Amino acid sequence: MTDPFMGPPWQADWVQAARTYRDALPEHVRKEITNGMAELVTARNPYLPQDELPPGSYLEPARSSRPKGPHILGFDHGRGWLLCTFVRRVDDPQIIVEEIFWQ
């Protein structure tokens, strides 16, 4: 049984509204987002990197009924999250960040 190629590296693509919101956040929050995303884009299988995420971060499906659908990457010990979708392609796999929130 062969292991289908899923990555790395994944390419991170940000929806414009999410990128604008991210860029307006304080520096320490942007650093936490960058650290969490760095682990996702280098993961062989981004659906299961829990042990590879930085402390205070987590990854879970947005809906338990769709385990391979959109995912939520929580950061800053639950104070923020971003909604991302994994587009699995052999040539150019992508992680699309659709929404971001921090409080």
Side-chain angles (χ1 to χ4, degrees):
M1 181 176 184
T2 61
D3 182 24
F5 179 78
M6 290 186 64
W10 292 76
Q11 301 297 317
D13 188 18
W14 294 75
V15 172
Q16 184 61 40
R19 181 188 317 262
T20 301
Y21 186 82
R22 178 200 63 193
D23 292 344
L25 292 171
E27 179 66 31
H28 76 280
V29 177
R30 289 194 313 264
K31 184 176 179 184
E32 289 203 28
I33 293 170
T34 301
N35 291 342
M37 287 300 294
E39 295 301 331
L40 286 183
V41 299
T42 59
R44 176 95 177 136
N45 181 352
Y47 294 109
L48 304 171
Q50 295 295 333
D51 59 335
E52 300 171 12
L53 291 173
S57 296
Y58 63 88
L59 182 71
E60 62 187 25
R63 292 177 53 191
S64 62
S65 61
R66 296 186 60 206
K68 292 202 175 189
H71 276 62
I72 295 173
L73 173 65
F75 59 91
D76 197 14
H77 301 279
R79 292 186 64 202
W81 53 264
L82 53 87
L83 179 67
C84 53
T85 303
F86 303 107
V87 181
R88 298 180 295 165
R89 295 185 288 217
V90 173
D91 290 337
D92 188 25
Q94 288 185 323
I95 299 172
I96 301 172
V97 179
E98 299 172 3
E99 292 181 51
I100 188 168
F101 174 79
W102 181 77
Q103 61 180 355

